Amino acid sequence: MTVDELRRAFLAFFEERGHRRIPSSSLVPHGDPTLLFTTAGMVQFKPYFMGLAEPPARRLTSIQRCFRTTDVESVGDATHLTAFEMLGNFSVGDYFKPEAIGWAWEFLTGVLRIDPARLWATVFTTDDEAARLWAERGVPEDRILRYTAEQGNWWGPPGDTGPMGPCSEMHYDWGKTPGCRHCEANTCHPDIGCGRFLEIWNLVFMTYQQEEDGSQTDLPAANIDTGAGLERLASVVQGARTVYETDELNRLITVAERVSGRKYDTNKSPDVAFALRAMTEHARALAFLATDGVLPSNEGRGYVLRRLLRRAIYFAYKIGIREPFLEQMVDAAIDLSYQTNPQMLEQRDFIKRLARVEEARFLQTLDRGLTLLDEVIERGRSTRRIPGRDAFTLYDTHGLPLELTVEVAQSHGYEVDREGFEKEMELQRERSRGEEAFTAQHDDRALRYAALGIETAFVGYDGLDARSEVLHLERGGEPVIRLEAGETGEVVLRQSPFYPEGGGQVGDHGLVVTTTGQFRVRDTQKYGETIVLTGEVEQGHIEISAAAEARVDAARRADTARNHTGTHLLHAALRSVLGTHVRQAGSYVGPDRLRFDYTHPEAPTEAEMTAVQRMVNAKIRADIRSETFVLGYEEAIARGAIAFFEDRYTDTVRMVEYCDTRGNDPEHMHTSECYSRELCGGTHLHATGEVGMLIVVSDISIGAGLRRIEAVTGAAAERFIEDRAGLVNILARRFKVPAAEVLGRIDALEESLAAERKRVEEAERRASAGLADDLIGRAEQVDGVSVVVARVTADSPDALRVIADRLRPKLGVSFIFLAADAKGRPAFLASASEEVIARGLRADEVVRAAAALAGGGGGGRPNLAQAGGKDAAQIDAAVELARKTVRERLGG
């Protein structure tokens, strides 16, 4: 059975048993910003288990793309992966242990025909029911083991708080491991970890919620969360002892063999096999992550991806690859995966370019890392040892793997502090585990309102006013039956026209009016199925069960809808001009402006941004009528709809279309070609013409591969143009030229200023040269070394460097220390010849000590270093400290 056949068999098995198939969510988890990546199939279902949202069905099944950072350093061995697929079947308060265990056994032994004699079950220590159910399936008592939470049979909570429960695992027995004393004594079991057993199925009986105080409460219902690693299960079905020998990954291994010219042979060349596996896994992980909008950077998710790429390139380098290879590997990975992840095909060219550019960039970084390693070796002459902290910095900051650091160090007769390196690595692993955990602080209000079970019907798509009833009131987090004038609180209505914040759109403002009072709504939020209005009572009082009239601030809603429609048009234009790899990475849609964060590896040119803005405004002038459809998720995606950043799978979705062929003709209800087609629950205009115009105010970088556009629409766009035109007119009057000639006048002024700056710099150089000549005559000879330690007059630290550059060739073997008051800030520079460094006098150490005396810091290399300070009154003292240090070190 191939991997793809296994995928289809799993989904078909559980669909036949009433499960709704749910598509894989993004590797970038939405709605839970503290989770770095999607690490398990249950991530997108977490709100259902906690009772915060209604699931599309009580029985669910999925094949979820997952990514875990905790085992990066192990990738390349026989079993570890960072990117993998998780088979899952889930019950939200429907079936429980008997069905879950029965179906797991039936699928493994019946559908996959795995030998029952090779299957072992583990259950939580006190879970008698699970143990009995496995025994009823025919698992012998000696192969049903009771494990503790520490041994892996308790799942969760995923943070300090959250859902959890006992679990039961199935393990496959490969047979006795040579050299394992437990195997020889017939006492081996899965927790020994000799490689004999492989966990292939995990059933979590999710029944509890851990609270912040450590106590456990019952979840709204008993749930089932099943996880089975696709690649691991495939290795068992195909009789492959490693996941890399299954059909899909093995095809990638073959590509790695071709680009490297090396043979995959775990027995004859284990190091080569390790490298080929690392190249294979990380290339596939790149394709997965980049498809979901993760781009290489120096922080967060992008840092993890960059780390993987550097690791793949290093292992390729280690087995002799000197030509670019990553693009070929990624291309092959896309060929393997695009049928189950079709969005990969759309972004193939972009992902390949990303791999090509990042590989070239890292090869340059690798050269820099080796240069820095040379400096570390130079500093360690006395101990002939590279500190663990330095080795880690070379690895973490500059991408130089420990193995390469050790190899170079050994060639110089040095050793590396591996223990210190591992301590730093463990700290990083702890940070990674923290990043992978769910948020430790769940929103108390979300849980509180979920427990109340109040469902609010949103009626704000069809109108801005609604007659309703007050169902619930709170003040200070506590339920009340009445809110008095001047009191701030929360109001829940049976029906609400107020749009709750979501998808980047802010919540509505407005009024709730009853016969006894008036409540001013300042914000609208949604917790589970409850829409909560926050604000204060302006008049009279508001009480429970009162009839109410809800009125949305119409002008504010219209401005917000104008910006939301503008966001859709902008998104489509960016994808048209820059490429379909552009993905939304966040947004703000309010009445005042819109903000749109998107993925793109470089700054768009001015011409590209002009094209984007012109395209949006052309669609606005076309006055394209919008149409909204409520339909199934799969149908919407099949029609080509794009999911917005915070969308989560639901049974039915709202799809908003702006189709050129429809224009403003209401008869055209659907067309295959649309300028913009999005899944979006926000509020929009009936036609694009109501936007008025859209002006891009700014486009800036907010991280590697991430950019942010700020834009305005409607009246705000008009005011922006008026302000800019007014500014041009002011400049024209100031320069006494026509408006069209303002730019030319500014260019002329800049040229004049540049010429003046050059004259000033030349005068400073002449002055510095004269000062340097004077210092040469004052140089002190200390045991064969020409020493200059002086306070000089200089306006900037750069001026000190000019002086030192003139002194060095004329002094020969020398040590130079210069200090200056650079516009009220102490500035220091030191320079040392190689012969001086060999005698223990280093420029960086002297300058650092001097700067510390002046309340500052800095550093550099042993031969040249600069620093600054805060207290100019300490400059003379710093000079004397430097003079004293020089004499002591040189023996003068």
Side-chain angles (χ1 to χ4, degrees), residues 448-475:
R448 189 168 70 245
Y449 279 110
L452 292 173
I454 301 174
E455 293 189 10
T456 306
F458 177 63
V459 294
Y461 291 132
D462 301 321
L464 301 180
D465 301 325
R467 295 191 178 278
S468 191
E469 177 189 358
V470 177
L471 296 183
H472 183 75
L473 296 173
E474 287 201 5
R475 180 181 59 235

PDB file of all heavy atoms in Angstrom, residues 448-475:
ATOM      1  N   ARG A 448     -16.360  31.764  30.406  1.00  0.00           N
ATOM      2  CA  ARG A 448     -17.534  32.123  31.221  1.00  0.00           C
ATOM      3  C   ARG A 448     -18.800  32.164  30.367  1.00  0.00           C
ATOM      4  O   ARG A 448     -19.828  31.597  30.726  1.00  0.00           O
ATOM      5  CB  ARG A 448     -17.293  33.475  31.883  1.00  0.00           C
ATOM      6  CG  ARG A 448     -18.354  33.851  32.916  1.00  0.00           C
ATOM      7  CD  ARG A 448     -17.912  35.043  33.746  1.00  0.00           C
ATOM      8  NE  ARG A 448     -17.887  36.289  33.004  1.00  0.00           N
ATOM      9  CZ  ARG A 448     -16.776  36.980  32.740  1.00  0.00           C
ATOM     10  NH1 ARG A 448     -15.604  36.534  33.142  1.00  0.00           N
ATOM     11  NH2 ARG A 448     -16.828  38.119  32.083  1.00  0.00           N
ATOM     12  N   TYR A 449     -18.714  32.807  29.205  1.00  0.00           N
ATOM     13  CA  TYR A 449     -19.893  32.890  28.347  1.00  0.00           C
ATOM     14  C   TYR A 449     -20.230  31.544  27.724  1.00  0.00           C
ATOM     15  O   TYR A 449     -21.412  31.236  27.490  1.00  0.00           O
ATOM     16  CB  TYR A 449     -19.691  33.957  27.269  1.00  0.00           C
ATOM     17  CG  TYR A 449     -19.950  35.359  27.786  1.00  0.00           C
ATOM     18  CD1 TYR A 449     -18.912  36.263  27.960  1.00  0.00           C
ATOM     19  CD2 TYR A 449     -21.230  35.767  28.128  1.00  0.00           C
ATOM     20  CE1 TYR A 449     -19.148  37.549  28.440  1.00  0.00           C
ATOM     21  CE2 TYR A 449     -21.484  37.039  28.617  1.00  0.00           C
ATOM     22  CZ  TYR A 449     -20.437  37.924  28.775  1.00  0.00           C
ATOM     23  OH  TYR A 449     -20.669  39.178  29.256  1.00  0.00           O
ATOM     24  N   ALA A 450     -19.201  30.735  27.450  1.00  0.00           N
ATOM     25  CA  ALA A 450     -19.476  29.397  26.918  1.00  0.00           C
ATOM     26  C   ALA A 450     -20.261  28.584  27.933  1.00  0.00           C
ATOM     27  O   ALA A 450     -21.176  27.827  27.581  1.00  0.00           O
ATOM     28  CB  ALA A 450     -18.172  28.691  26.560  1.00  0.00           C
ATOM     29  N   ALA A 451     -19.903  28.739  29.223  1.00  0.00           N
ATOM     30  CA  ALA A 451     -20.603  28.005  30.274  1.00  0.00           C
ATOM     31  C   ALA A 451     -22.063  28.444  30.391  1.00  0.00           C
ATOM     32  O   ALA A 451     -22.936  27.652  30.749  1.00  0.00           O
ATOM     33  CB  ALA A 451     -19.887  28.209  31.610  1.00  0.00           C
ATOM     34  N   LEU A 452     -22.355  29.719  30.072  1.00  0.00           N
ATOM     35  CA  LEU A 452     -23.737  30.214  30.137  1.00  0.00           C
ATOM     36  C   LEU A 452     -24.614  29.611  29.046  1.00  0.00           C
ATOM     37  O   LEU A 452     -25.838  29.505  29.196  1.00  0.00           O
ATOM     38  CB  LEU A 452     -23.759  31.744  30.020  1.00  0.00           C
ATOM     39  CG  LEU A 452     -23.158  32.527  31.197  1.00  0.00           C
ATOM     40  CD1 LEU A 452     -23.102  34.005  30.856  1.00  0.00           C
ATOM     41  CD2 LEU A 452     -23.973  32.299  32.463  1.00  0.00           C
ATOM     42  N   GLY A 453     -23.971  29.233  27.935  1.00  0.00           N
ATOM     43  CA  GLY A 453     -24.724  28.609  26.849  1.00  0.00           C
ATOM     44  C   GLY A 453     -25.662  29.548  26.113  1.00  0.00           C
ATOM     45  O   GLY A 453     -26.650  29.103  25.520  1.00  0.00           O
ATOM     46  N   ILE A 454     -25.392  30.847  26.130  1.00  0.00           N
ATOM     47  CA  ILE A 454     -26.247  31.821  25.461  1.00  0.00           C
ATOM     48  C   ILE A 454     -25.817  31.950  23.993  1.00  0.00           C
ATOM     49  O   ILE A 454     -24.658  32.189  23.702  1.00  0.00           O
ATOM     50  CB  ILE A 454     -26.160  33.202  26.139  1.00  0.00           C
ATOM     51  CG1 ILE A 454     -26.575  33.102  27.608  1.00  0.00           C
ATOM     52  CG2 ILE A 454     -27.010  34.222  25.405  1.00  0.00           C
ATOM     53  CD1 ILE A 454     -26.364  34.392  28.373  1.00  0.00           C
ATOM     54  N   GLU A 455     -26.766  31.795  23.103  1.00  0.00           N
ATOM     55  CA  GLU A 455     -26.480  31.965  21.680  1.00  0.00           C
ATOM     56  C   GLU A 455     -27.154  33.242  21.194  1.00  0.00           C
ATOM     57  O   GLU A 455     -28.351  33.428  21.365  1.00  0.00           O
ATOM     58  CB  GLU A 455     -26.983  30.766  20.878  1.00  0.00           C
ATOM     59  CG  GLU A 455     -26.216  29.479  21.176  1.00  0.00           C
ATOM     60  CD  GLU A 455     -26.584  28.356  20.221  1.00  0.00           C
ATOM     61  OE1 GLU A 455     -27.281  28.652  19.218  1.00  0.00           O
ATOM     62  OE2 GLU A 455     -26.182  27.218  20.476  1.00  0.00           O
ATOM     63  N   THR A 456     -26.348  34.122  20.564  1.00  0.00           N
ATOM     64  CA  THR A 456     -26.875  35.365  20.004  1.00  0.00           C
ATOM     65  C   THR A 456     -26.984  35.231  18.499  1.00  0.00           C
ATOM     66  O   THR A 456     -26.023  34.835  17.836  1.00  0.00           O
ATOM     67  CB  THR A 456     -25.951  36.548  20.338  1.00  0.00           C
ATOM     68  OG1 THR A 456     -25.729  36.598  21.741  1.00  0.00           O
ATOM     69  CG2 THR A 456     -26.578  37.856  19.883  1.00  0.00           C
ATOM     70  N   ALA A 457     -28.139  35.561  17.961  1.00  0.00           N
ATOM     71  CA  ALA A 457     -28.322  35.533  16.509  1.00  0.00           C
ATOM     72  C   ALA A 457     -27.835  36.857  15.927  1.00  0.00           C
ATOM     73  O   ALA A 457     -28.312  37.926  16.320  1.00  0.00           O
ATOM     74  CB  ALA A 457     -29.791  35.311  16.171  1.00  0.00           C
ATOM     75  N   PHE A 458     -26.873  36.800  15.005  1.00  0.00           N
ATOM     76  CA  PHE A 458     -26.387  38.017  14.353  1.00  0.00           C
ATOM     77  C   PHE A 458     -27.288  38.326  13.176  1.00  0.00           C
ATOM     78  O   PHE A 458     -27.456  37.517  12.264  1.00  0.00           O
ATOM     79  CB  PHE A 458     -24.947  37.842  13.883  1.00  0.00           C
ATOM     80  CG  PHE A 458     -24.419  39.039  13.133  1.00  0.00           C
ATOM     81  CD1 PHE A 458     -24.290  40.267  13.759  1.00  0.00           C
ATOM     82  CD2 PHE A 458     -24.071  38.939  11.791  1.00  0.00           C
ATOM     83  CE1 PHE A 458     -23.812  41.379  13.067  1.00  0.00           C
ATOM     84  CE2 PHE A 458     -23.586  40.034  11.089  1.00  0.00           C
ATOM     85  CZ  PHE A 458     -23.460  41.260  11.733  1.00  0.00           C
ATOM     86  N   VAL A 459     -27.865  39.528  13.160  1.00  0.00           N
ATOM     87  CA  VAL A 459     -28.785  39.927  12.087  1.00  0.00           C
ATOM     88  C   VAL A 459     -28.293  41.193  11.394  1.00  0.00           C
ATOM     89  O   VAL A 459     -29.058  41.898  10.750  1.00  0.00           O
ATOM     90  CB  VAL A 459     -30.216  40.137  12.650  1.00  0.00           C
ATOM     91  CG1 VAL A 459     -30.793  38.811  13.143  1.00  0.00           C
ATOM     92  CG2 VAL A 459     -30.211  41.170  13.780  1.00  0.00           C
ATOM     93  N   GLY A 460     -26.978  41.472  11.550  1.00  0.00           N
ATOM     94  CA  GLY A 460     -26.440  42.731  11.060  1.00  0.00           C
ATOM     95  C   GLY A 460     -26.096  42.776   9.596  1.00  0.00           C
ATOM     96  O   GLY A 460     -25.728  43.832   9.085  1.00  0.00           O
ATOM     97  N   TYR A 461     -26.191  41.639   8.868  1.00  0.00           N
ATOM     98  CA  TYR A 461     -25.949  41.690   7.429  1.00  0.00           C
ATOM     99  C   TYR A 461     -27.109  42.365   6.695  1.00  0.00           C
ATOM    100  O   TYR A 461     -26.919  43.011   5.668  1.00  0.00           O
ATOM    101  CB  TYR A 461     -25.754  40.287   6.862  1.00  0.00           C
ATOM    102  CG  TYR A 461     -24.481  39.613   7.302  1.00  0.00           C
ATOM    103  CD1 TYR A 461     -24.494  38.306   7.788  1.00  0.00           C
ATOM    104  CD2 TYR A 461     -23.263  40.265   7.227  1.00  0.00           C
ATOM    105  CE1 TYR A 461     -23.329  37.670   8.182  1.00  0.00           C
ATOM    106  CE2 TYR A 461     -22.087  39.641   7.618  1.00  0.00           C
ATOM    107  CZ  TYR A 461     -22.126  38.341   8.098  1.00  0.00           C
ATOM    108  OH  TYR A 461     -20.979  37.708   8.494  1.00  0.00           O
ATOM    109  N   ASP A 462     -28.306  42.187   7.235  1.00  0.00           N
ATOM    110  CA  ASP A 462     -29.502  42.656   6.538  1.00  0.00           C
ATOM    111  C   ASP A 462     -29.984  44.024   6.995  1.00  0.00           C
ATOM    112  O   ASP A 462     -30.846  44.619   6.358  1.00  0.00           O
ATOM    113  CB  ASP A 462     -30.633  41.635   6.734  1.00  0.00           C
ATOM    114  CG  ASP A 462     -30.257  40.262   6.198  1.00  0.00           C
ATOM    115  OD1 ASP A 462     -29.615  40.210   5.126  1.00  0.00           O
ATOM    116  OD2 ASP A 462     -30.579  39.265   6.856  1.00  0.00           O
ATOM    117  N   GLY A 463     -29.476  44.535   8.084  1.00  0.00           N
ATOM    118  CA  GLY A 463     -29.919  45.834   8.560  1.00  0.00           C
ATOM    119  C   GLY A 463     -29.090  46.304   9.732  1.00  0.00           C
ATOM    120  O   GLY A 463     -28.328  45.531  10.333  1.00  0.00           O
ATOM    121  N   LEU A 464     -29.263  47.576  10.074  1.00  0.00           N
ATOM    122  CA  LEU A 464     -28.489  48.167  11.161  1.00  0.00           C
ATOM    123  C   LEU A 464     -29.307  48.335  12.428  1.00  0.00           C
ATOM    124  O   LEU A 464     -28.769  48.756  13.458  1.00  0.00           O
ATOM    125  CB  LEU A 464     -27.939  49.535  10.718  1.00  0.00           C
ATOM    126  CG  LEU A 464     -27.037  49.516   9.474  1.00  0.00           C
ATOM    127  CD1 LEU A 464     -26.571  50.925   9.144  1.00  0.00           C
ATOM    128  CD2 LEU A 464     -25.844  48.607   9.697  1.00  0.00           C
ATOM    129  N   ASP A 465     -30.591  48.028  12.393  1.00  0.00           N
ATOM    130  CA  ASP A 465     -31.463  48.120  13.559  1.00  0.00           C
ATOM    131  C   ASP A 465     -32.156  46.783  13.773  1.00  0.00           C
ATOM    132  O   ASP A 465     -32.427  46.052  12.814  1.00  0.00           O
ATOM    133  CB  ASP A 465     -32.518  49.214  13.386  1.00  0.00           C
ATOM    134  CG  ASP A 465     -31.894  50.585  13.173  1.00  0.00           C
ATOM    135  OD1 ASP A 465     -30.837  50.849  13.773  1.00  0.00           O
ATOM    136  OD2 ASP A 465     -32.461  51.379  12.382  1.00  0.00           O
ATOM    137  N   ALA A 466     -32.460  46.477  15.012  1.00  0.00           N
ATOM    138  CA  ALA A 466     -33.177  45.235  15.294  1.00  0.00           C
ATOM    139  C   ALA A 466     -33.909  45.353  16.626  1.00  0.00           C
ATOM    140  O   ALA A 466     -33.413  45.975  17.573  1.00  0.00           O
ATOM    141  CB  ALA A 466     -32.204  44.055  15.345  1.00  0.00           C
ATOM    142  N   ARG A 467     -35.102  44.773  16.680  1.00  0.00           N
ATOM    143  CA  ARG A 467     -35.827  44.663  17.954  1.00  0.00           C
ATOM    144  C   ARG A 467     -35.360  43.380  18.623  1.00  0.00           C
ATOM    145  O   ARG A 467     -35.282  42.332  17.985  1.00  0.00           O
ATOM    146  CB  ARG A 467     -37.332  44.654  17.724  1.00  0.00           C
ATOM    147  CG  ARG A 467     -37.842  45.973  17.152  1.00  0.00           C
ATOM    148  CD  ARG A 467     -39.358  46.047  17.176  1.00  0.00           C
ATOM    149  NE  ARG A 467     -39.820  47.332  16.676  1.00  0.00           N
ATOM    150  CZ  ARG A 467     -39.868  48.440  17.414  1.00  0.00           C
ATOM    151  NH1 ARG A 467     -39.476  48.394  18.691  1.00  0.00           N
ATOM    152  NH2 ARG A 467     -40.299  49.579  16.894  1.00  0.00           N
ATOM    153  N   SER A 468     -35.070  43.450  19.904  1.00  0.00           N
ATOM    154  CA  SER A 468     -34.466  42.315  20.569  1.00  0.00           C
ATOM    155  C   SER A 468     -34.871  42.274  22.037  1.00  0.00           C
ATOM    156  O   SER A 468     -35.806  42.972  22.454  1.00  0.00           O
ATOM    157  CB  SER A 468     -32.929  42.372  20.432  1.00  0.00           C
ATOM    158  OG  SER A 468     -32.335  41.180  20.834  1.00  0.00           O
ATOM    159  N   GLU A 469     -34.128  41.488  22.812  1.00  0.00           N
ATOM    160  CA  GLU A 469     -34.400  41.320  24.239  1.00  0.00           C
ATOM    161  C   GLU A 469     -33.066  41.198  24.983  1.00  0.00           C
ATOM    162  O   GLU A 469     -32.137  40.545  24.491  1.00  0.00           O
ATOM    163  CB  GLU A 469     -35.240  40.064  24.475  1.00  0.00           C
ATOM    164  CG  GLU A 469     -35.514  39.759  25.938  1.00  0.00           C
ATOM    165  CD  GLU A 469     -36.167  38.407  26.140  1.00  0.00           C
ATOM    166  OE1 GLU A 469     -36.448  37.723  25.137  1.00  0.00           O
ATOM    167  OE2 GLU A 469     -36.358  38.019  27.306  1.00  0.00           O
ATOM    168  N   VAL A 470     -32.961  41.823  26.151  1.00  0.00           N
ATOM    169  CA  VAL A 470     -31.757  41.733  26.966  1.00  0.00           C
ATOM    170  C   VAL A 470     -31.741  40.376  27.667  1.00  0.00           C
ATOM    171  O   VAL A 470     -32.620  40.077  28.490  1.00  0.00           O
ATOM    172  CB  VAL A 470     -31.688  42.874  27.997  1.00  0.00           C
ATOM    173  CG1 VAL A 470     -30.445  42.712  28.879  1.00  0.00           C
ATOM    174  CG2 VAL A 470     -31.688  44.234  27.313  1.00  0.00           C
ATOM    175  N   LEU A 471     -30.760  39.541  27.345  1.00  0.00           N
ATOM    176  CA  LEU A 471     -30.665  38.197  27.943  1.00  0.00           C
ATOM    177  C   LEU A 471     -29.725  38.139  29.132  1.00  0.00           C
ATOM    178  O   LEU A 471     -29.893  37.300  30.021  1.00  0.00           O
ATOM    179  CB  LEU A 471     -30.184  37.193  26.888  1.00  0.00           C
ATOM    180  CG  LEU A 471     -31.086  36.929  25.688  1.00  0.00           C
ATOM    181  CD1 LEU A 471     -30.456  35.864  24.803  1.00  0.00           C
ATOM    182  CD2 LEU A 471     -32.469  36.479  26.151  1.00  0.00           C
ATOM    183  N   HIS A 472     -28.706  39.015  29.154  1.00  0.00           N
ATOM    184  CA  HIS A 472     -27.673  38.877  30.189  1.00  0.00           C
ATOM    185  C   HIS A 472     -26.977  40.213  30.381  1.00  0.00           C
ATOM    186  O   HIS A 472     -26.748  40.955  29.425  1.00  0.00           O
ATOM    187  CB  HIS A 472     -26.655  37.810  29.757  1.00  0.00           C
ATOM    188  CG  HIS A 472     -25.592  37.535  30.764  1.00  0.00           C
ATOM    189  ND1 HIS A 472     -25.810  36.804  31.912  1.00  0.00           N
ATOM    190  CD2 HIS A 472     -24.269  37.890  30.796  1.00  0.00           C
ATOM    191  CE1 HIS A 472     -24.673  36.725  32.600  1.00  0.00           C
ATOM    192  NE2 HIS A 472     -23.744  37.374  31.950  1.00  0.00           N
ATOM    193  N   LEU A 473     -26.629  40.520  31.634  1.00  0.00           N
ATOM    194  CA  LEU A 473     -25.893  41.734  31.973  1.00  0.00           C
ATOM    195  C   LEU A 473     -24.735  41.375  32.890  1.00  0.00           C
ATOM    196  O   LEU A 473     -24.860  40.473  33.734  1.00  0.00           O
ATOM    197  CB  LEU A 473     -26.802  42.746  32.680  1.00  0.00           C
ATOM    198  CG  LEU A 473     -27.981  43.330  31.905  1.00  0.00           C
ATOM    199  CD1 LEU A 473     -28.857  44.167  32.833  1.00  0.00           C
ATOM    200  CD2 LEU A 473     -27.503  44.174  30.738  1.00  0.00           C
ATOM    201  N   GLU A 474     -23.598  42.081  32.733  1.00  0.00           N
ATOM    202  CA  GLU A 474     -22.476  41.890  33.647  1.00  0.00           C
ATOM    203  C   GLU A 474     -21.871  43.239  34.003  1.00  0.00           C
ATOM    204  O   GLU A 474     -21.878  44.180  33.197  1.00  0.00           O
ATOM    205  CB  GLU A 474     -21.396  40.997  33.017  1.00  0.00           C
ATOM    206  CG  GLU A 474     -21.791  39.544  32.925  1.00  0.00           C
ATOM    207  CD  GLU A 474     -20.588  38.611  32.784  1.00  0.00           C
ATOM    208  OE1 GLU A 474     -19.450  39.113  32.862  1.00  0.00           O
ATOM    209  OE2 GLU A 474     -20.810  37.395  32.609  1.00  0.00           O
ATOM    210  N   ARG A 475     -21.347  43.285  35.210  1.00  0.00           N
ATOM    211  CA  ARG A 475     -20.612  44.461  35.676  1.00  0.00           C
ATOM    212  C   ARG A 475     -19.394  43.957  36.412  1.00  0.00           C
ATOM    213  O   ARG A 475     -19.495  43.185  37.367  1.00  0.00           O
ATOM    214  CB  ARG A 475     -21.488  45.315  36.606  1.00  0.00           C
ATOM    215  CG  ARG A 475     -20.761  46.574  37.123  1.00  0.00           C
ATOM    216  CD  ARG A 475     -21.662  47.392  38.060  1.00  0.00           C
ATOM    217  NE  ARG A 475     -22.093  46.604  39.194  1.00  0.00           N
ATOM    218  CZ  ARG A 475     -23.367  46.428  39.538  1.00  0.00           C
ATOM    219  NH1 ARG A 475     -24.340  46.989  38.832  1.00  0.00           N
ATOM    220  NH2 ARG A 475     -23.681  45.686  40.597  1.00  0.00           N
TER     221      ARG A 475
END
